[in-house]
Amino acid sequence: MKLLVVEDEVKAAAYLRKGLTEEGYQVEVAHSGVDGLHMASVNEYDLVILDWMLPGVDGMAVLSALRHMRSVPVLMLTARGQIEDRVRGLQGGADDYLVKPFAFSELVARIQVLLRRSSGPRMEAEALSLRVADLEVDTVRRRATRAGRRLELTPKEFSLLILLLQRQGHVLSRTEIAAQVWDMNFDSETNVVEVAIRRLRSKLDQPFDKPLLHTVRGMGYVLEDRP
Ligand code: CA
């Protein structure tokens, strides 16, 4: 899931990026309304977190321009708690509204609700459950089980597992995994992907008879049910 954060305050934006990345989201940040609109026009996002108070083109203007462009859900952040502002934001097409300062856990909960709602009933049913052999992953509840046993995964391990499951049977390179799961390009010296794969494997495969996550030497990793 890819999120765009439009927030001019550098510290606040960095905090959101860090926290949401740890929750397993891919996060991109724009520090102005103009940049935010540009990024939203060239990239596809699953959700936009939009600060109301932005210099130049403010949040309301960004929202209205965005509404002419895309149907992406928008969560507005604002220091204003005035009821008329809230109404204006929602009438302007915001899907939800959070008043600063807010608890990070509340932001995450609202994001989950919006993403679930926007994925729609069809997508939800489709994406709800991914499976291979006796492994089952509920993408909405973010829960993975194998042979009926719950796997305790970190958000990153969960994202990695989803990626592998969505592309099951296809070999994914380390570079591709790094780009998809960490949203960055790692140089070849970094072993962050290997470490994550090892951890995932220790939970996913080690306690069970049959391995599902395979290393393809020199190429990458593949999740599949091999005979
Ligand atoms: Ca601001």
Side-chain angles (χ1 to χ4, degrees), residues 6-9 51-55 77 100:
V6 187
E7 166 65 271
D8 59 307
E9 289 141 69
D51 187 33
W52 186 305
M53 299 291 276
L54 296 166
L77 302 181
K100 292 178 180 177

Side-chain angles (χ1 to χ4, degrees), residues 141-154:
R141 291 188 190 84
R142 295 182 73 81
R143 203 156 61 179
T145 56
R146 192 164 174 195
R149 274 155 68 184
R150 176 87 179 264
L151 307 178
E152 297 295 336
L153 303 177
T154 65

Side-chain angles (χ1 to χ4, degrees), residues 118-132:
S118 73
S119 68
R122 187 189 58 83
M123 277 282 291
E124 194 171 314
E126 216 170 71
L128 192 70
S129 185
L130 294 168
R131 59 179 73 206
V132 58

